[in-house]
Amino acid sequence: MHMTQPALDLVIAALERIREKSNRAPRASRTALAQLQAADLATVSVVTTADLSEGLSPLGQQLKAARNKADLLTAVRERVGACTKCAHLACSRTQTVFGVGNPDADLMFIGETANADEDQQGEPFVRHAGQLLAKILKTMNFAREDVYIANILKCRPDMPAGSFGNRPPTPTEMQTCRPYLLEQIDIIQPSVLVALGAVAVEGLLGTRATMRELRGRWHIYNSIPLMITYHPAYLLRNQAPSEKRKVWEDMLQVLERLERPISDRQRNYFL
């Protein structure tokens, strides 16, 4: 460990004060522990989930936590941007597609992989699928900036020369990229996760099943409630009102789990 002794003494003393003044023992995420082991205290953004600065107001603590999360995500983003673990993807991509949104979000959406538009813009869910997701969020009384959105795969899967369209990621590609997503989840610590599409489910849980079997009920990922629903691209291909209603019913369950107020208009809504 590179931490200097005075810095280590400071951390220990702060943790002891937290233990004495709180009924809840201090906790540190895996990401925070890794940061402690890899750097001096001066470069560590988050040490524990409790704020070590006793003089901050509750709002100040929330703002500091949000900034710390943003710093941690930036560090992961930089590693993703330089990643060459999948050499064929590193050669073919325009840029990586890391994720966007509020680092302190209660709600996090997980998509599948970048398409050609996302590869060009560097953001997940752009153009038609992104517009539909934005519509869903608006009807839930969320803005895109309120939530966090990330993909299973941070690169667009390469295509054979002369071919068009997109291909799904392979199990090996998903397994290789999965640790980056887990770091994002660990840093953000959302109250609810939503997996959009079967590929997102396979990449996150390692489970292969039909959406008919998976959606409409709660799952758990690392103690976080997980709702599985159709990808917006599926709804663009299948315009049946019954399919759109299924997605909205899943989102109503998400709102209930987040303890958000639901109006009669929302309950009766069809996408």
Side-chain angles (χ1 to χ4, degrees):
M1 179 179 286
H2 303 292
M3 184 177 293
T4 62
Q5 188 60 43
L8 181 59
D9 291 342
L10 175 64
V11 174
I12 293 173
L15 292 174
E16 287 177 346
R17 289 198 300 273
I18 294 169
R19 183 174 59 188
E20 290 171 359
K21 295 181 179 181
S22 174
N23 294 327
R24 186 177 66 180
R27 296 178 295 125
S29 69
R30 291 190 300 273
T31 301
L33 291 174
Q35 291 277 6
L36 283 170
Q37 292 170 348
D40 289 343
L41 183 61
T43 62
V44 177
S45 298
V46 173
V47 176
T48 68
T49 54
D51 192 280
L52 301 183
S53 301
E54 298 181 21
L56 290 178
S57 67
L59 177 59
Q61 292 176 8
Q62 293 175 12
L63 292 173
K64 181 176 179 181
R67 285 196 298 269
N68 288 336
K69 287 183 178 183
D71 291 342
L72 288 172
L73 286 171
T74 296
V76 181
R77 179 192 292 271
E78 290 174 354
R79 288 193 283 112
V80 168
C83 182
T84 57
K85 293 179 181 178
C86 301
H88 58 296
L89 300 184
C91 291
S92 64
R93 73 190 180 210
T94 301
Q95 59 189 312
T96 55
V97 181
F98 180 69
V100 293
N102 180 5
D104 204 35
D106 289 328
L107 179 58
M108 180 173 178
F109 288 85
I110 301 171
E112 299 180 349
T113 185
N115 59 29
D117 296 313
E118 294 167 356
D119 175 70
Q120 290 292 326
Q121 296 188 35
E123 284 194 14
F125 285 91
V126 297
R127 294 200 67 185
H128 302 305
Q131 291 167 7
L132 181 52
L133 180 58
K135 180 181 178 181
I136 294 170
L137 290 172
K138 182 178 181 180
T139 309
M140 296 173 73
N141 290 325
F142 283 107
R144 183 178 168 101
E145 296 76 20
D146 296 330
V147 303
Y148 197 89
I149 307 171
N151 282 335
I152 288 291
L153 203 66
K154 309 306 185 190
C155 296
R156 183 194 180 200
D158 58 333
M159 297 292 290
S163 62
F164 299 95
N166 303 287
R167 68 165 176 85
T170 67
T172 299
E173 289 168 344
M174 288 191 287
Q175 187 65 27
T176 302
C177 205
R178 184 172 182 267
Y180 293 131
L181 176 65
L182 304 193
E183 284 191 78
Q184 289 174 293
I185 295 172
D186 193 35
I187 292 168
I188 295 166
Q189 299 178 30
S191 299
V192 172
L193 288 166
V194 176
L196 299 169
V199 172
V201 175
E202 182 180 354
L204 183 64
L205 302 180
T207 299
R208 255 190 205 188
T210 65
M211 293 303 296
R212 189 179 300 107
E213 298 171 297
L214 294 171
R215 62 150 297 274
R217 59 185 175 87
W218 286 104
H219 304 256
I220 295 292
Y221 170 76
N222 197 21
S223 301
I224 302 174
L226 168 66
M227 178 58 65
I228 296 169
T229 195
Y230 291 108
H231 194 284
Y234 168 79
L235 297 182
L236 293 173
R237 297 190 302 268
N238 189 333
Q239 295 287 328
S242 59
E243 298 302 284
K244 295 180 178 181
R245 178 62 191 180
K246 289 175 184 176
V247 172
W248 184 242
E249 288 173 352
D250 296 340
M251 294 304 99
L252 288 175
Q253 290 196 58
V254 169
L255 289 174
E256 290 174 351
R257 180 59 66 99
L258 291 171
E259 299 182 350
R260 294 270 182 152
I262 302 175
S263 67
D264 290 339
R265 178 180 178 277
Q266 286 174 310
R267 290 197 182 278
N268 298 320
Y269 187 73
F270 278 76
L271 294 176

